[in-house]
Amino acid sequence: MPSIRNVAAPYWAEFIGTLVLTVVGLGVTAQNITNSTTSKTEALNSSFAWGLAVTLGIWTSEHVSGGHINPAVTLSRALFSGFPATRVLGYLLSQTLGSFVGALLVWINFSTALNDLPKGKGVNPAAFAFITAGNTCSGLVGEITATFIFVLAVFAITDNTSSAKNIAPLAVGLAFTAASLGVSSPLGLAVNPARDLGPRIFAALAYGLDVFAEGSFYFWVPLAGPVIGGAAGAFVYEWLVRRDAEYHTLEEGAAH
């Protein structure tokens, strides 16, 4: 009979992996917000930093939990590649809690600089170190498109037949960087519901509930968009790319 520690291990791994992802990613976002000299390189800095954050988070957790660190990946795995449905809720909660604690650690590190930001009407500007924001329509399209590309790449990279499988954490991180650079501003892109929800809950506690009303209640966009885009990316890979590749492999084998 497995021990409680063995049963809990994958959830702890997802918690720690998502915490690492959030600390590194939000840390750079906080630096960009509090340092006026980074404005011209903000998109590049954030995109590469979040890509490295994904890589580190996966390396931290993949050998225990599979290194999802993203509810969009977990749900896509459950829908299209046999991930046990009984584990889904635990993974989602672990990922969200990990991102919440990660946001707390970033706040502790940058609280003085964030508190010095000039304040005006509306949401405290420091809150934007933790949340995504933007136009609802363009934001939803961006989240769906970027997560479609990202999850499609994740499924391709981690396929047993992939030449990139041995360097999967690095390859997945580069895929995130590419999606971020190609589709949206880093401050308006989550590609990961936990990356926004956990820090947004923290920001609500630190700066007020207005963070949920910001941008005409934009908070639902980084929750729904990645789930839709991730499911679409997983579907395209599993039902179109992979099955077509298997057909051609069988066809080539029959020819020999």
Side-chain angles (χ1 to χ4, degrees):
M1 182 176 180
S3 67
I4 294 177
R5 180 177 178 179
N6 290 335
V7 171
Y11 306 106
W12 273 115
E14 287 295 304
F15 170 83
I16 296 297
T18 314
L19 186 153
V20 170
L21 158 74
T22 306
V23 168
V24 175
L26 288 186
V28 172
T29 302
Q31 289 185 56
N32 287 336
I33 286 178
T34 57
N35 187 345
S36 60
T37 64
T38 63
S39 58
K40 292 183 179 180
T41 59
E42 181 180 326
L44 191 63
N45 288 349
S46 290
S47 294
F48 274 102
W50 278 104
L52 290 172
V54 169
T55 294
L56 292 174
I58 294 173
W59 260 325
T60 301
S61 58
E62 68 162 339
H63 57 295
V64 180
S65 66
H68 295 189
I69 62 172
N70 185 336
V73 172
T74 298
L75 291 170
S76 297
R77 291 289 190 197
L79 287 171
F80 296 104
S81 66
F83 182 74
T86 54
R87 289 191 173 189
V88 169
L89 180 60
Y91 268 48
L92 301 189
L93 292 175
S94 298
Q95 292 156 358
T96 303
L97 183 59
S99 66
F100 177 89
V101 176
L104 170 62
L105 295 177
V106 170
W107 179 82
I108 291 171
N109 193 35
F110 290 95
S111 59
T112 300
L114 290 171
N115 288 335
D116 288 341
L117 291 172
K119 298 174 180 61
K121 294 182 179 180
V123 175
N124 189 314
F128 292 101
F130 303 97
I131 67 174
T132 60
N135 175 271
T136 300
C137 291
S138 60
L140 183 61
V141 171
E143 291 287 357
I144 292 173
T145 304
T147 315
F148 170 83
I149 294 169
F150 176 64
V151 172
L152 176 64
V154 167
F155 272 62
I157 290 164
T158 57
D159 193 306
N160 287 331
T161 62
S162 172
S163 60
K165 184 173 175 59
N166 291 333
I167 57 166
L170 181 59
V172 171
L174 288 173
F176 186 94
T177 294
S180 179
L181 284 172
V183 176
S184 177
S185 162
L187 286 179
L189 187 70
V191 195
N192 182 338
R195 170 263 177 269
D196 187 86
L197 181 58
R200 193 178 292 268
I201 293 171
F202 172 80
L205 296 174
Y207 303 111
L209 294 174
D210 285 352
V211 297
F212 282 99
E214 171 63 21
S216 301
F217 297 91
Y218 185 86
F219 77 92
W220 68 271
V221 172
L223 299 180
V227 172
I228 296 169
F235 172 82
V236 166
Y237 185 78
E238 291 291 336
W239 288 85
L240 300 178
V241 176
R242 187 180 184 189
R243 293 202 173 196
D244 189 52
E246 289 176 350
Y247 170 79
H248 285 292
T249 298
L250 291 172
E251 196 174 52
E252 288 172 6
H256 289 293

